Amino acid sequence: MESRSKSADIEDAECWIASFRIVDPKPQPDHGNREAGLRAALASSGRAELRGLDVQICEDRLVISGRVGSFYVKQLAQEVLRPHVGEIQIVNQVNVD
């Protein structure tokens, strides 16, 4: 029987764990195209301030961020996007100057 040190056994186990890949059975959607479409919706709204806002889909939320000049434009940003996002939650993190 081969004699091995305890540290060699641990090292082998760590290598095996490091090489083991966990595959999520639920495929993750590609949010890049959807985010680009949402930015296009803001750009086509007719309000120049909305073009500078950023949108990001995080799990089941749409996060809007950036800066605008009034609370009206902040609210307008989320209302322009609402028809395009379905039932996901909109988180409006836009700052008003």
Side-chain angles (χ1 to χ4, degrees):
M1 180 170 203
E2 184 178 319
S3 173
R4 291 177 47 114
S5 71
K6 187 174 182 175
S7 64
D9 288 339
I10 291 171
E11 190 175 305
D12 286 347
E14 288 173 349
C15 289
W16 180 82
I17 290 169
S19 66
F20 186 81
R21 293 177 52 197
I22 298 173
V23 178
D24 187 356
K26 181 176 60 173
Q28 296 297 314
D30 177 22
H31 294 305
N33 289 336
R34 191 164 185 200
E35 290 171 358
L38 294 171
R39 281 190 285 278
L42 289 173
S44 65
S45 70
R47 286 287 199 154
E49 282 183 283
L50 296 183
R51 290 187 197 122
L53 296 179
D54 189 38
V55 295
Q56 188 174 25
I57 298 173
C58 300
E59 296 176 13
D60 60 346
R61 298 176 298 146
L62 168 66
V63 179
I64 312 166
S65 59
R67 294 182 125 17
V68 294
S70 71
F71 285 101
Y72 170 76
V73 177
K74 175 180 179 168
Q75 183 69 28
L76 183 62
Q78 78 182 41
E79 296 309 317
V80 164
L81 296 175
R82 189 174 306 281
H84 302 280
V85 296
E87 296 297 318
I88 68 172
Q89 178 186 11
I90 298 175
V91 179
N92 193 337
Q93 295 181 342
V94 174
N95 292 315
V96 178
D97 289 334

